[in-house]
Amino acid sequence: MSIKHTTEKALQMLRTLPRVTIGNIRDNPQSKQNVKRGRGQHGGDKHGAGNKGSGQRQNYMRLGYETGNTPFYMRFSYEPYYKGHHLKREYPPISLHQLQKLIDTDRLNYRAPIDLTTICNTGLFEIRPDLLHHGVQLTDEGADDFKTKINIEVQHAPESVIAAIERNGGVIRTAYYDPHSLYAVVNPKKWFEKGVPIPRRMLPPQDAVKYYTDPRNRGYLADPEKISQERLVLAQKYGYTLPKIEDDPDYAMLTETKDPRQIFYGLNPGWVISLKDRAIIREKQ
């Protein structure tokens, strides 16, 4: 469009517009300030808190108080279904899809064993023992797209997840961590800076012994021979050929495990790690 045509169009528009008067102009933004304080509808005399009483004195009632009535949590009987629910162990989920994405983006090294410490060091997952977190559970979301051969240790895994990992020639293991050991596992740097020995992992409680000694769950306390049998049974159930780990070039990595009392790979309980001196203080034999 030429300049001449643009000018003519602008002049034509000005001919049709009304004249500038007080009736068709407005103030500049923020040019006028309200003299009132803006707290409440009465000019701020009540400060938006009403007349007297606990509401104006900011004496807020506690949660659950119903001004003299019988509270909701006392009007109904106790349900035995919820007995001990505040003490149950929690396992935040991590899916196979997320695990594959961490491997593809080089946040996890699939050529080394993966455990809870490795997952927490990515900075994307938070395990809080103070909230009764006892590790992670591996879910089967993205099981069809998982194609990596890994050696992983989690705290809970269903049958479909175990099949997805072993189908690719990998190894999975479920292991228990007591709350005291979890503080060292989820943040090793903070634990090492305190200068205290590496704790010894405790055995699972009575209600968890059955799960971690079951070879179908790949429990770390199960018989290795029975685990080998269950690997074959699961492959026949899901219809895939079980790769032979013995013939794999990464056999040493796939078979690397931790002692039931050990929480870090290559570090024994009782050792003290000095990050300042870059030294490992071992106990006397």
Side-chain angles (χ1 to χ4, degrees), residues 66-109:
E66 299 184 16
T67 63
N69 300 329
T70 304
F72 175 83
Y73 63 88
M74 295 181 64
R75 286 200 296 268
F76 302 96
S77 59
Y78 183 79
E79 289 288 342
Y81 172 79
Y82 297 105
K83 183 178 180 180
H85 73 284
H86 61 292
L87 301 175
K88 291 183 178 179
R89 293 182 290 273
E90 299 287 340
Y91 300 97
I94 172 175
S95 66
L96 286 173
H97 175 73
Q98 292 174 307
L99 189 63
Q100 184 66 57
K101 187 184 294 184
L102 292 174
I103 294 173
D104 294 341
T105 55
D106 291 335
R107 287 183 176 268
L108 283 179
N109 182 17

Side-chain angles (χ1 to χ4, degrees), residues 51-274:
N51 289 313
K52 300 183 180 179
S54 61
Q56 194 180 51
R57 296 181 175 88
Q58 297 184 358
N59 182 24
Y60 303 115
M61 293 178 289
R62 61 175 174 82
L63 292 177
Y65 183 65
E66 299 184 16
T67 63
N69 300 329
T70 304
F72 175 83
Y73 63 88
M74 295 181 64
R75 286 200 296 268
F76 302 96
S77 59
Y78 183 79
E79 289 288 342
Y81 172 79
Y82 297 105
K83 183 178 180 180
H85 73 284
H86 61 292
L87 301 175
K88 291 183 178 179
R89 293 182 290 273
E90 299 287 340
Y91 300 97
I94 172 175
S95 66
L96 286 173
H97 175 73
Q98 292 174 307
L99 189 63
Q100 184 66 57
K101 187 184 294 184
L102 292 174
I103 294 173
D104 294 341
T105 55
D106 291 335
R107 287 183 176 268
L108 283 179
N109 182 17
Y110 67 94
R111 298 188 180 279
I114 300 173
D115 60 352
L116 185 59
T117 303
T118 313
I119 296 174
C120 291
N121 285 341
T122 61
L124 301 177
F125 301 94
E126 184 181 15
I127 302 298
R128 297 186 56 181
D130 58 316
L131 298 181
L132 299 182
H133 291 179
H134 280 70
V136 295
Q137 59 171 325
L138 201 57
T139 62
D140 58 358
E141 181 183 357
D144 297 334
D145 302 328
F146 191 78
K147 304 297 181 184
T148 310
K149 178 178 59 178
I150 58 174
N151 178 6
I152 188 170
E153 178 191 87
V154 293
Q155 282 60 61
H156 193 278
E159 185 182 74
S160 56
V161 171
I162 297 175
I165 291 179
E166 294 180 350
R167 180 183 58 204
N168 297 309
V171 176
I172 184 172
R173 192 176 299 101
T174 57
Y176 171 81
Y177 287 98
D178 61 283
H180 182 62
S181 299
L182 275 174
Y183 283 102
V185 170
V186 300
N187 196 344
K189 181 180 178 182
K190 183 177 179 181
W191 184 271
F192 295 156
E193 288 176 346
K194 294 191 297 184
V196 295
I198 298 175
R200 185 176 63 169
R201 177 165 47 167
M202 298 290 103
L203 294 176
Q206 192 66 32
D207 58 343
V209 169
K210 183 178 179 181
Y211 181 85
Y212 291 109
T213 55
D214 193 345
R216 292 175 296 180
N217 302 325
R218 307 301 187 264
Y220 75 118
L221 299 177
D223 188 359
E225 295 183 359
K226 293 183 179 180
I227 291 179
S228 300
Q229 297 174 4
E230 291 296 334
R231 283 169 56 90
L232 184 59
V233 170
L234 192 63
Q236 295 174 350
K237 179 179 180 179
Y238 281 82
Y240 60 86
T241 303
L242 185 65
K244 291 185 178 180
I245 302 179
E246 295 79 5
D247 302 335
D248 197 291
D250 298 326
Y251 175 77
M253 184 273 292
L254 293 174
T255 57
E256 185 176 356
T257 60
K258 289 187 286 190
D259 186 80
R261 297 289 192 173
Q262 191 178 6
I263 64 176
F264 296 119
Y265 282 104
L267 298 176
N268 294 337
W271 290 4
V272 178
I273 311 301
S274 176

